[in-house]
Structure formats: structure tokens, C-alpha cells
Amino acid sequence: LRRMIPGVCLDFDGDEEAKIFGLENIDKGLLGQKCGGLDVDALVNFYEDAFKKLDGKILFNTTVSELILKPEKRLGIHGEPFVWQDKRIVGVKTNRGEYYGDSIILAPGAWANILLDRIGIDSHTKPKKRQVFVVGGPSLYPLLNVKGFNGQNILPFTILPTHPRIYIRPCGREKSFWVGCADDIGRAFMLEDNPEAEESYYYQLYQLLRKYFPHFENVRPMNMFAGLYEMNTIDGNPYIFEEAGAIIAVGASGSGIIKADAIGRIVAALYNGEKKAELFGGRGFRVSDLGVEKRKVEKEEFIL
Ligand SMILES: Cc1cc2nc3c(=O)[nH]c(=O)nc-3n(C[C@H](O)[C@H](O)[C@H](O)COP(=O)(O)OP(=O)(O)OC[C@H]3O[C@@H](n4cnc5c(N)ncnc54)[C@H](O)[C@@H]3O)c2cc1C
């Protein structure tokens, strides 16, 4: 590793500061050969185009304020639905008016609880802020020219053995790096309308980062952004289930881009009343495995 990544520090023997940070020597690294990046804009544009080709209509700047709950069998009496009536989500109230559908599919991400809590449906998820810092500068350029790991001759996406894990993602075209770290205890589960990245948080990561990569010494963020993970706090996998006639897809837990295709296919199978979804590559997946009642998934260990 030392030969391949000039300047990297793997050995902290005798480094008192590193000891305080709890940093351990690195004996070896693991390289994922079949890995890569995904252009999120391209992915979203693809879905938008595909949806429009199916005559789908997209309404931007439209907020759902309420889910409309009606009795399965309407009696036409004022005050419905009553306690003893089976209920069904039949539509949504928005700032543009009400919309009804034979089937309502909800994928409100971190905002799920606003809509679902009030009608007594548990999303099984909680929102938590996550932040990314963009850094660059000449001292980092050697890391954009690292041979032996991949065809691009660039440092791979690197996860450091810190607690919690700090990751760095090189962006060759922009000559920059994204730095992030998913903090756990101490970081509130909280819904924020406009979550902001905290520069002071970067400097906490920076203290550790510069130990492994002295290239980061004195490097400040050029840009930073934050968003919300909608965390399934039990197994870190999405929930896809039917409740009150609606299909609910939530809890991507920070992997909703990479899992979007699979989630979409499982939602489509549920909508079509199929027990099994066919994932990309032809692999079958039992729809109920990501549901609530018959849930059967391993814990997602790869959450950054
Ligand atoms: C900093 C950061 C980095 C990430 N990096 C990665 C990554 O590298 N790989 C990866 O796979 N995933 C990553 N993720 C996670 C990924 O972005 C999410 O898992 C994914 O966006 C979830 O998709 P979704 O469609 O379920 O929810 P969202 O993308 O959150 O979409 C939900 C939408 O519903 C809308 N909405 C909610 N409530 C209402 C309402 N009442 N009325 C109208 N609209 C409403 C919201 O405005 C939003 O547009 C990252 C997330 C963050 C914050």
C-alpha cells in the first residue's frame, strides 16, 4: 500500500496523538474489484423519462398535506370512517387539490412519519442527518494519480478503519474528494427541513484523515452539503409493505440510490400481486422478505 499510495501513513507506533484518536496500524486493505460509481442525475432522469413514456404525470412543488382515509364500504354517513369500519388510503390532499387513485404508492423518504404517524401507520424508520464535504487542492493531486488499483489510475473510494468509518471518494473530473462519516450516538434522529452541513464536523474528521493521508493537512472544505437518511434502525434495509390499501416503500437507510432498481421492482411486484419480484440479472426475490410481518432479511452491514 505504501508503494502504491505515496505518502500514506499506515503505522502509528509512537504517535501519541494517534493513540488518543484510537487509530490502529493498517496491515492490509481490501479492494472491491466489481465496484464503481453511479451518476445520480442520470439515474433520476432515466426514471423520469421512463415514467413519462408510460404517460405518467409528474407534479413538482406539490406538497401532500394529508393522506385521505375512507371506509372500504362507504355508507355515506357524516363522520366516516368510523372505528369499526375497515379503512383504505384512497388519495392525497395537496396544495393543488385532492388526487385519488385505485392504488396509492408512498415513497416519502425521511418525511414518511409526518404523513403516516397521523393515521396510525408505523414507517419503522427515523430520519438522521448525513453530511458530505468537498475538498480539493494541489496537495491532494497525488491521490488522483494512484496506479495499480483500477483502470482510471485513481485512489479507489476508501473507507478508513476509524470508529465510525470515515470515507473519501475521489472525483477525478473535478479534481476533488468527498469526505463523509456516519456518526451514531450523539447525532439526533431528527427531521430537518433544510439540514445544513457543519464545518466543525469536517474538522473533527480532518484530525483523523490527515493522520492516514498527510496530503489533507491544511485542506479546508470548498463545498459541503447535508441530507437525511431515513434509517431502519433494526436491520438497515428498506421496508416495502402494504397497509390500508397503500404500498409504502421507505427506510432505504442511506443506500436508496444503489438499491433504487431493486426497490422499484419489488414495489412493482407487490402492486401486481406477485409473491416474487425479478431483480436485475434475473434473480428472484420474495416480496414479503422486505415487508413487516414476514420480514426475512439479513442486517445491512454496509452503511456509511
Ligand atoms: C449525504 C447523503 C449521501 C448519500 N449517498 C448515497 C450513496 O452514495 N449511495 C446510495 O445508494 N444512497 C445514498 N444516499 C441515500 C439516498 O439519497 C436515499 O436513500 C434515497 O434518496 C432515498 O430515496 P427515496 O426516493 O426513498 O427518498 P427521497 O430521495 O428522500 O425522496 C422522497 C421525496 O418525497 C418527497 N416528499 C416527502 N414528503 C412529501 C410530501 N408530504 N409531499 C410531497 N412530497 C413529499 C421529498 O421532497 C422527496 O423528494 C445518500 C443520502 C445522503 C443524505
PDB file of all heavy atoms in Angstrom, residues 128-142:
ATOM      1  N   LYS A 128     -32.141  10.820  10.042  1.00  0.00           N
ATOM      2  CA  LYS A 128     -30.878  11.235  10.668  1.00  0.00           C
ATOM      3  C   LYS A 128     -30.039  11.991   9.645  1.00  0.00           C
ATOM      4  O   LYS A 128     -29.937  11.566   8.495  1.00  0.00           O
ATOM      5  CB  LYS A 128     -30.121  10.002  11.184  1.00  0.00           C
ATOM      6  CG  LYS A 128     -28.984  10.372  12.138  1.00  0.00           C
ATOM      7  CD  LYS A 128     -28.368   9.149  12.782  1.00  0.00           C
ATOM      8  CE  LYS A 128     -28.846   8.931  14.175  1.00  0.00           C
ATOM      9  NZ  LYS A 128     -27.874   8.510  15.162  1.00  0.00           N
ATOM     10  N   LYS A 129     -29.442  13.092  10.098  1.00  0.00           N
ATOM     11  CA  LYS A 129     -28.657  13.919   9.166  1.00  0.00           C
ATOM     12  C   LYS A 129     -27.344  13.243   8.784  1.00  0.00           C
ATOM     13  O   LYS A 129     -26.676  12.670   9.630  1.00  0.00           O
ATOM     14  CB  LYS A 129     -28.363  15.279   9.806  1.00  0.00           C
ATOM     15  CG  LYS A 129     -27.491  16.167   8.923  1.00  0.00           C
ATOM     16  CD  LYS A 129     -27.646  17.623   9.248  1.00  0.00           C
ATOM     17  CE  LYS A 129     -26.714  18.056  10.332  1.00  0.00           C
ATOM     18  NZ  LYS A 129     -26.793  19.523  10.553  1.00  0.00           N
ATOM     19  N   ARG A 130     -27.002  13.373   7.497  1.00  0.00           N
ATOM     20  CA  ARG A 130     -25.715  12.898   6.997  1.00  0.00           C
ATOM     21  C   ARG A 130     -25.074  14.000   6.147  1.00  0.00           C
ATOM     22  O   ARG A 130     -25.786  14.726   5.446  1.00  0.00           O
ATOM     23  CB  ARG A 130     -25.898  11.638   6.145  1.00  0.00           C
ATOM     24  CG  ARG A 130     -26.351  10.442   6.972  1.00  0.00           C
ATOM     25  CD  ARG A 130     -25.294  10.056   7.961  1.00  0.00           C
ATOM     26  NE  ARG A 130     -25.658   8.990   8.868  1.00  0.00           N
ATOM     27  CZ  ARG A 130     -25.486   9.054  10.184  1.00  0.00           C
ATOM     28  NH1 ARG A 130     -25.017  10.155  10.735  1.00  0.00           N
ATOM     29  NH2 ARG A 130     -25.780   8.039  10.955  1.00  0.00           N
ATOM     30  N   GLN A 131     -23.758  14.108   6.222  1.00  0.00           N
ATOM     31  CA  GLN A 131     -23.089  15.249   5.603  1.00  0.00           C
ATOM     32  C   GLN A 131     -21.942  14.805   4.703  1.00  0.00           C
ATOM     33  O   GLN A 131     -21.301  13.796   4.976  1.00  0.00           O
ATOM     34  CB  GLN A 131     -22.494  16.139   6.689  1.00  0.00           C
ATOM     35  CG  GLN A 131     -23.408  16.321   7.883  1.00  0.00           C
ATOM     36  CD  GLN A 131     -22.771  17.162   8.974  1.00  0.00           C
ATOM     37  OE1 GLN A 131     -22.188  18.200   8.710  1.00  0.00           O
ATOM     38  NE2 GLN A 131     -22.878  16.692  10.198  1.00  0.00           N
ATOM     39  N   VAL A 132     -21.704  15.607   3.666  1.00  0.00           N
ATOM     40  CA  VAL A 132     -20.582  15.342   2.757  1.00  0.00           C
ATOM     41  C   VAL A 132     -19.812  16.652   2.569  1.00  0.00           C
ATOM     42  O   VAL A 132     -20.409  17.716   2.397  1.00  0.00           O
ATOM     43  CB  VAL A 132     -21.089  14.811   1.397  1.00  0.00           C
ATOM     44  CG1 VAL A 132     -19.942  14.731   0.396  1.00  0.00           C
ATOM     45  CG2 VAL A 132     -21.736  13.435   1.560  1.00  0.00           C
ATOM     46  N   PHE A 133     -18.480  16.543   2.624  1.00  0.00           N
ATOM     47  CA  PHE A 133     -17.627  17.722   2.470  1.00  0.00           C
ATOM     48  C   PHE A 133     -16.772  17.543   1.219  1.00  0.00           C
ATOM     49  O   PHE A 133     -16.190  16.473   1.005  1.00  0.00           O
ATOM     50  CB  PHE A 133     -16.743  17.887   3.704  1.00  0.00           C
ATOM     51  CG  PHE A 133     -17.561  18.040   4.955  1.00  0.00           C
ATOM     52  CD1 PHE A 133     -17.975  16.923   5.677  1.00  0.00           C
ATOM     53  CD2 PHE A 133     -17.994  19.295   5.370  1.00  0.00           C
ATOM     54  CE1 PHE A 133     -18.776  17.053   6.806  1.00  0.00           C
ATOM     55  CE2 PHE A 133     -18.794  19.429   6.496  1.00  0.00           C
ATOM     56  CZ  PHE A 133     -19.186  18.312   7.222  1.00  0.00           C
ATOM     57  N   VAL A 134     -16.712  18.600   0.411  1.00  0.00           N
ATOM     58  CA  VAL A 134     -15.943  18.535  -0.829  1.00  0.00           C
ATOM     59  C   VAL A 134     -14.633  19.292  -0.617  1.00  0.00           C
ATOM     60  O   VAL A 134     -14.646  20.461  -0.211  1.00  0.00           O
ATOM     61  CB  VAL A 134     -16.733  19.170  -1.997  1.00  0.00           C
ATOM     62  CG1 VAL A 134     -15.994  18.967  -3.319  1.00  0.00           C
ATOM     63  CG2 VAL A 134     -18.144  18.587  -2.066  1.00  0.00           C
ATOM     64  N   VAL A 135     -13.528  18.597  -0.843  1.00  0.00           N
ATOM     65  CA  VAL A 135     -12.218  19.234  -0.634  1.00  0.00           C
ATOM     66  C   VAL A 135     -11.380  19.054  -1.892  1.00  0.00           C
ATOM     67  O   VAL A 135     -11.607  18.144  -2.687  1.00  0.00           O
ATOM     68  CB  VAL A 135     -11.478  18.617   0.580  1.00  0.00           C
ATOM     69  CG1 VAL A 135     -12.208  18.904   1.872  1.00  0.00           C
ATOM     70  CG2 VAL A 135     -11.280  17.122   0.412  1.00  0.00           C
ATOM     71  N   GLY A 136     -10.426  19.938  -2.057  1.00  0.00           N
ATOM     72  CA  GLY A 136      -9.531  19.839  -3.219  1.00  0.00           C
ATOM     73  C   GLY A 136      -8.262  20.626  -2.966  1.00  0.00           C
ATOM     74  O   GLY A 136      -8.048  21.149  -1.870  1.00  0.00           O
ATOM     75  N   GLY A 137      -7.411  20.679  -3.981  1.00  0.00           N
ATOM     76  CA  GLY A 137      -6.170  21.456  -3.857  1.00  0.00           C
ATOM     77  C   GLY A 137      -4.966  20.620  -4.246  1.00  0.00           C
ATOM     78  O   GLY A 137      -5.036  19.377  -4.224  1.00  0.00           O
ATOM     79  N   PRO A 138      -3.874  21.303  -4.604  1.00  0.00           N
ATOM     80  CA  PRO A 138      -2.693  20.616  -5.157  1.00  0.00           C
ATOM     81  C   PRO A 138      -2.124  19.521  -4.263  1.00  0.00           C
ATOM     82  O   PRO A 138      -1.647  18.509  -4.781  1.00  0.00           O
ATOM     83  CB  PRO A 138      -1.674  21.752  -5.319  1.00  0.00           C
ATOM     84  CG  PRO A 138      -2.479  23.007  -5.323  1.00  0.00           C
ATOM     85  CD  PRO A 138      -3.723  22.763  -4.552  1.00  0.00           C
ATOM     86  N   SER A 139      -2.231  19.677  -2.936  1.00  0.00           N
ATOM     87  CA  SER A 139      -1.629  18.640  -2.079  1.00  0.00           C
ATOM     88  C   SER A 139      -2.338  17.299  -2.235  1.00  0.00           C
ATOM     89  O   SER A 139      -1.786  16.255  -1.897  1.00  0.00           O
ATOM     90  CB  SER A 139      -1.644  19.087  -0.616  1.00  0.00           C
ATOM     91  OG  SER A 139      -2.974  19.181  -0.162  1.00  0.00           O
ATOM     92  N   LEU A 140      -3.573  17.341  -2.747  1.00  0.00           N
ATOM     93  CA  LEU A 140      -4.339  16.089  -2.908  1.00  0.00           C
ATOM     94  C   LEU A 140      -4.151  15.453  -4.290  1.00  0.00           C
ATOM     95  O   LEU A 140      -4.559  14.305  -4.504  1.00  0.00           O
ATOM     96  CB  LEU A 140      -5.835  16.357  -2.683  1.00  0.00           C
ATOM     97  CG  LEU A 140      -6.236  16.871  -1.306  1.00  0.00           C
ATOM     98  CD1 LEU A 140      -7.734  17.166  -1.256  1.00  0.00           C
ATOM     99  CD2 LEU A 140      -5.895  15.857  -0.226  1.00  0.00           C
ATOM    100  N   TYR A 141      -3.559  16.198  -5.225  1.00  0.00           N
ATOM    101  CA  TYR A 141      -3.457  15.697  -6.600  1.00  0.00           C
ATOM    102  C   TYR A 141      -2.742  14.343  -6.700  1.00  0.00           C
ATOM    103  O   TYR A 141      -3.146  13.499  -7.514  1.00  0.00           O
ATOM    104  CB  TYR A 141      -2.802  16.731  -7.534  1.00  0.00           C
ATOM    105  CG  TYR A 141      -3.663  17.967  -7.761  1.00  0.00           C
ATOM    106  CD1 TYR A 141      -3.130  19.118  -8.336  1.00  0.00           C
ATOM    107  CD2 TYR A 141      -5.007  17.978  -7.408  1.00  0.00           C
ATOM    108  CE1 TYR A 141      -3.908  20.253  -8.532  1.00  0.00           C
ATOM    109  CE2 TYR A 141      -5.791  19.102  -7.598  1.00  0.00           C
ATOM    110  CZ  TYR A 141      -5.248  20.236  -8.168  1.00  0.00           C
ATOM    111  OH  TYR A 141      -6.016  21.352  -8.355  1.00  0.00           O
ATOM    112  N   PRO A 142      -1.686  14.104  -5.881  1.00  0.00           N
ATOM    113  CA  PRO A 142      -1.050  12.778  -5.983  1.00  0.00           C
ATOM    114  C   PRO A 142      -2.045  11.626  -5.770  1.00  0.00           C
ATOM    115  O   PRO A 142      -1.865  10.539  -6.321  1.00  0.00           O
ATOM    116  CB  PRO A 142       0.001  12.801  -4.868  1.00  0.00           C
ATOM    117  CG  PRO A 142       0.286  14.246  -4.646  1.00  0.00           C
ATOM    118  CD  PRO A 142      -0.987  14.974  -4.926  1.00  0.00           C
TER     119      PRO A 142
END
